[in-house]
Amino acid sequence: MERPSLRAAALALSHSWLSPTGPPRQTGAMAETTGVVNAAGREHDADFERVIADSSDHVQAVARAVRDLVYDVLPGTVEVVWAQQGSVGWGVGPKKFSEQFAYLMPSKNHVTLGFYRGGELPDPEGLLPTTGGRQAGGKLSMRSLKLTSLDDVNRPALRDLIDVSTRTGI
């Protein structure tokens, strides 16, 4: 029996609270906090590019390589861009803590790649720190790493972490 498309299922569920065409524009004291679901997949990168636009060319190249790696590991990933937060998340659905496995945040000299359940992942190469924060009522053992080069992104151990994270807790 063939499994339905993860993207199709997530988008069907998300239309009630996340807009695939962009967040509603709000004025006044309330800032935009809604993520934008990338309904078109890997080929649509306009929202992703807005998040990394102010980064150096080098950081942009690393961020794009991470995105490509995520889509290589899980072609049906659901990408959500939070432009106001300067981050991008990937998962089987749009909900940040319950359906997403990883996030990316560009910085001045590196890209942070975080795993919502990083403390639960097998990490034989020791890429992730052994301690980290807890989120969502203390249920998630978040871990992140700094990627500074394309060599960092191309490590087989990083692909393995992303692969196992797609099957851990979501």
Side-chain angles (χ1 to χ4, degrees), residues 58-139:
H58 175 74
V59 168
Q60 288 183 30
V62 172
R64 287 185 193 108
V66 170
R67 183 178 191 256
D68 286 344
L69 179 58
V70 168
Y71 274 107
D72 284 348
V73 171
L74 185 65
T77 193
V78 175
E79 179 178 72
V80 182
V81 177
W82 289 278
Q84 193 69 16
Q85 298 172 10
S87 67
V88 178
W90 298 289
V92 297
K95 295 180 183 174
K96 195 180 266 189
F97 295 114
S98 61
E99 296 176 335
Q100 302 236 316
F101 55 85
Y103 64 90
L104 174 143
M105 294 183 76
S107 297
K108 182 176 180 179
N109 297 312
H110 69 274
V111 169
T112 297
L113 177 61
F115 296 91
Y116 289 108
R117 290 165 185 82
E120 302 167 28
L121 302 178
D123 182 20
E125 299 286 326
L127 298 181
L128 297 172
T130 56
T131 60
R134 291 218 170 272
Q135 294 291 332
K139 296 178 182 176

Side-chain angles (χ1 to χ4, degrees), residues 13 18 26 34 56 91 94 99 102 104-105 109 119 129 146 168 170:
L13 292 171
L18 287 176
Q26 297 176 342
T34 306
S56 68
E99 296 176 335
L104 174 143
M105 294 183 76
N109 297 312
K146 293 179 181 179
T168 303
I170 55 174

